[in-house]
Amino acid sequence: MVSKIVEKSGLKPISETPETAEKTLTGQLPCAVILDGGPDNKDCDRLMSAIDALRRASGKPLPAVILLSTRNGTPESLGLSSVVDAVVAKPITPERLQPVVDRLVGRG
């Protein structure tokens, strides 16, 4: 579902597990990263430092980071890493995710 939504933004999605994503991130600079936070928004915490390093190296807030969450809120209100740019509450629908992807990818 998420990949189809990303494709509608004209992007080429690459799906990875949290365990393999860090290696993929070191080989390229994606324009956006969509993370599934899992039940407690912590499933992808170990990727935050790698994403932060990519942003520092690029000198821009790229890649944009979207967290798929079980809760509504902003990154700040949910106590998330400053690397997270936007939160989209589950269940994921095109109406919820598409505008966020378009907005964040358009800023780059």
Side-chain angles (χ1 to χ4, degrees):
M1 170 81 130
V2 172
S3 290
K4 294 289 184 198
I5 295 168
V6 169
E7 287 173 348
K8 288 181 182 179
S9 293
L11 304 173
K12 181 183 174 194
I14 298 172
S15 297
E16 295 284 344
T17 64
E19 295 76 30
T20 61
E22 189 169 358
K23 183 177 181 180
T24 301
L25 284 172
T26 60
Q28 57 190 307
L29 179 60
C31 60
V33 175
I34 301 174
L35 304 171
D36 187 339
D40 60 359
N41 291 334
K42 305 271 185 217
D43 283 8
C44 297
D45 280 1
R46 68 174 138 172
L47 293 173
M48 295 304 174
S49 61
I51 294 169
D52 189 41
L54 282 173
R55 287 177 154 199
R56 284 192 313 259
S58 75
K60 300 176 183 176
L62 294 174
V65 178
I66 301 168
L67 181 76
L68 307 179
S69 175
T70 56
R71 297 179 291 174
N72 278 315
T74 65
E76 297 81 17
S77 71
L78 295 176
L80 300 170
S81 166
S82 62
V83 173
V84 176
D85 297 302
V87 176
V88 176
K90 297 175 186 178
I92 302 305
T93 63
E95 296 78 22
R96 288 183 184 184
L97 183 57
Q98 188 78 47
V100 177
V101 171
D102 291 344
R103 177 176 53 87
L104 291 176
V105 170
R107 78 175 186 193

